[in-house]
Amino acid sequence: MRFLTAGESHGPGLTAIIEGLPAGLPIDPELINAELAQRQKGAGRGGRMRIETDQVIITSGLRFGYTLGSPLCLTIHNRDWVNWERTMNPLPVENQPEPVTQPRPGHADLAGVLKYGFTDCRNVLERASARETAARVAVGAVAKQLLAQFGIVVASQVIRIGTVETSLRLGDPSEIELVRRSPVACLDHQAAERMVEEITEAGQAGDTLGGIFEVVAWGVPPGLGSHVHWDRRLDTRLAAALMSIPAIKGVEIGTGFALAGLRGSAAHDPICYASETGYYRTSNHAGGLEGGITNGMPLRMTAAMKPIPTLMKPLDSVDIKTKEVVAANRERSDVTAVPAAAVVGEAMVAWIIAEAFAEKFGADQLSEMKAAYERYLEVLRRG
Ligand code: EPS
C-alpha cells in the first residue's frame, strides 16, 4: 500500500491518492469527515479554521460504498481559495503579489528557497504548511476503516502543551470520546484547563507553544513488521511516519528515553502465558514492539512538537533580497496546533499498521485478508 498527497495551503485544494487497498472494503465518507473535523478543533487554532469546514470528496476507487482495488482518490477543497486566487493561481496572473522575503526561523522558508533557488518564500511555505496534514488525516481515516474490520483501534491524546503536562495515559478505547470532547484533546480535566490558560497567555504575548502527544493502538496482533532489515522494522516505519509530521522533533516508543536510565531487570516486560489468551506481559515498556515486530501488547508512542514558527512578535531574520536585518514574516497562524498534530499522528500510525497488516495478510480482497487473519489467530491460539 502507498499514498501520495498534493496541494498548497491556499491553493484550490488537497488531494490524496491511496493505492493497494483491498477490494470489498466498505468506506464511509462521514467517518473521514469526522476525523477531518477533529483535526480542525483545539484551543490555540487560528482564523483559518473558522473559514474551513473540511469535507472529503471521493472521486475514484469506490463503487456503491465499497473499494474496487483501484486507486482511491480523496479531495478536500480549500474554502479559503477564493481569497487567494491572485496569490496562489496555478496559471499566470497580471499584477503578481509582492514576494515574501523575510523567512521565519523554524519554518521551511529559508532552507526551501536555498534548495530550490526561489526568490519568494511563498513558493515553499505553501506546501510546507501543516494544511497538507488534512489530506493525511483523510488517508488515516481510510486506514482506520480497514483496521476496524480486524478490531484494531488507534487513538491519541495530548499529554503536554508548553509547560503543562499530565501523567494520565490513555487506558482503553472507551476514553476516546472524553479526549475528543476536551478543548485540548487531553483526558486530564485539570491539566486541560491549565493548558488552555497557557495557550491564552502565549497568544496574548504574541508567542506560540509546542507540546507532546501520545498515540496508542489496541488490538494489534503480534507479528507485524520484521527484524530482518533496518527498513522493515516497524519501529523504523512508525518513527519515520510520526517524524514526517510538520514540527515534530522527537519520537519515543514505549518508555522511550527513560529506558536508558533503567536497569535491564526493570526495563523489560516479563513474558507470561495463559491458555485462553496466549502470551501476555505484565508491563509494556517496549510499547508493543520488540525486534521491530509487534508483540501483541498495545502499541504506544509519543511525539514532541516544537512551537509554531509564525510569531506575532517575530524573531530577527534577514531579507533574502536586500540582506538587511528584518523582522521575520508574520501571517495568520495558530498559537498552538498540538491537538491537531495528535489527530495527524493517529492517522499516520493507523496508516503504517494498515500497511504492515496488508503485507502480512495480503490485500487483494478483504475476504481473503480476513480468512488469512483468522488462520493466523488460530495458529497463535494453538500456541
Ligand atoms: C493549517 C492551516 C494554516 C495555519 C497552520 C495550519 O492556515 P493559514 O496559514 O491560512 O492561517 O493555520 O499552518 C501552520 C501551522 C504552518 O506552519 O504553516 C492547517 O490546516 O492545519
Side-chain angles (χ1 to χ4, degrees):
M1 276 166 56
R2 58 179 179 162
F3 80 88
L4 286 175
T5 74
E8 274 73 36
S9 181
H10 304 100
L14 301 162
T15 307
I17 297 179
I18 305 177
E19 193 200 335
L21 286 170
L25 173 68
I27 296 292
D28 179 353
E30 285 316 314
L31 294 176
I32 304 176
N33 290 336
E35 299 288 315
L36 291 173
Q38 193 64 28
R39 195 199 73 94
Q40 288 197 254
K41 283 196 217 157
R45 293 291 256 164
R48 178 72 181 274
M49 292 306 121
R50 288 193 287 279
I51 298 173
E52 303 296 342
T53 314
D54 292 336
Q55 297 273 303
V56 74
I57 298 162
I58 303 178
T59 54
S60 83
L62 206 63
R63 187 164 189 233
F64 308 136
Y66 288 85
T67 53
L68 298 172
S70 54
L72 190 75
C73 183
L74 311 172
T75 300
I76 302 162
H77 291 309
N78 287 330
R79 288 176 78 172
D80 206 14
W81 159 243
V82 292
N83 305 313
W84 290 80
E85 277 192 47
R86 188 169 74 92
T87 307
M88 283 306 296
N89 205 305
L91 301 177
V93 293
E94 283 171 22
N95 304 323
Q96 279 189 13
E98 281 298 303
V100 176
T101 58
Q102 306 91 22
R104 290 160 295 174
H107 215 284
D109 302 351
L110 181 60
V113 295
L114 294 176
K115 176 173 171 66
Y116 293 98
F118 291 136
T119 51
D120 184 351
C121 298
R122 187 158 300 287
N123 287 351
V124 176
L125 72 87
E126 283 286 332
R127 178 65 181 159
S129 164
R131 176 84 191 135
E132 182 264 342
T133 62
R136 294 205 232 171
V137 167
V139 170
V142 170
K144 278 186 172 183
Q145 294 185 51
L146 173 60
L147 296 179
Q149 295 285 335
F150 301 93
I152 299 171
V153 176
V154 186
S156 66
Q157 182 202 193
V158 170
I159 58 174
R160 178 173 179 143
I161 290 185
T163 62
V164 184
E165 185 158 2
T166 177
S167 55
L168 206 63
R169 293 291 179 270
L170 277 168
D172 63 73
S174 69
E175 292 165 340
I176 294 174
E177 271 316 302
L178 289 173
V179 172
R180 298 219 151 194
R181 274 190 255 129
S182 159
V184 280
C186 176
L187 268 182
D188 180 337
H189 294 295
Q190 282 171 350
E193 267 176 38
R194 285 187 287 124
M195 287 175 187
V196 172
E197 275 165 27
E198 189 150 329
I199 294 167
T200 309
E201 281 162 26
Q204 282 163 354
D207 221 326
T208 59
L209 295 171
I212 301 177
F213 62 83
E214 65 165 340
V215 182
V216 187
W218 293 280
V220 180
L224 302 187
S226 174
H227 61 295
V228 302
H229 276 298
W230 65 274
D231 56 346
R232 296 195 186 281
R233 288 180 171 260
L234 206 65
D235 314 46
T236 309
R237 295 160 65 181
L238 288 164
L242 287 168
M243 287 298 286
S244 76
I245 300 167
I248 300 303
K249 284 296 199 185
V251 172
E252 290 184 289
I253 294 180
T255 304
F257 273 55
L259 275 172
L262 297 179
R263 292 201 172 184
S265 53
H268 299 297
D269 308 309
I271 300 174
C272 308
Y273 182 81
S275 53
E276 326 78 66
T277 49
Y279 296 104
Y280 67 96
R281 309 303 177 92
T282 46
S283 58
N284 188 17
H285 292 300
L289 286 155
E290 287 170 310
I293 309 173
T294 54
N295 65 8
M297 291 295 282
L299 286 186
R300 287 195 166 268
M301 287 138 288
T302 44
M305 184 183 201
K306 69 183 181 182
I308 302 274
T310 311
L311 304 179
M312 292 308 133
K313 284 196 184 142
L315 289 173
D316 280 355
S317 181
V318 172
D319 190 294
I320 57 170
K321 193 169 170 201
T322 65
K323 306 295 184 288
E324 281 164 8
V325 175
V326 287
N329 180 41
R330 221 173 57 163
E331 58 180 52
R332 181 187 61 197
S333 189
D334 311 312
V335 175
T336 193
V338 185
V343 180
V344 184
E346 206 177 302
M348 292 306 293
V349 166
W351 172 263
I352 296 295
I353 300 171
E355 218 182 42
F357 207 89
E359 282 160 18
K360 179 139 180 67
F361 301 108
D364 283 342
Q365 35 170 307
L366 185 64
S367 53
E368 262 177 12
M369 215 172 172
K370 283 194 164 173
Y373 185 55
E374 281 308 320
R375 272 198 306 276
Y376 180 65
L377 291 186
E378 188 48 41
V379 171
L380 290 182
R381 272 193 291 269
R382 276 192 258 120

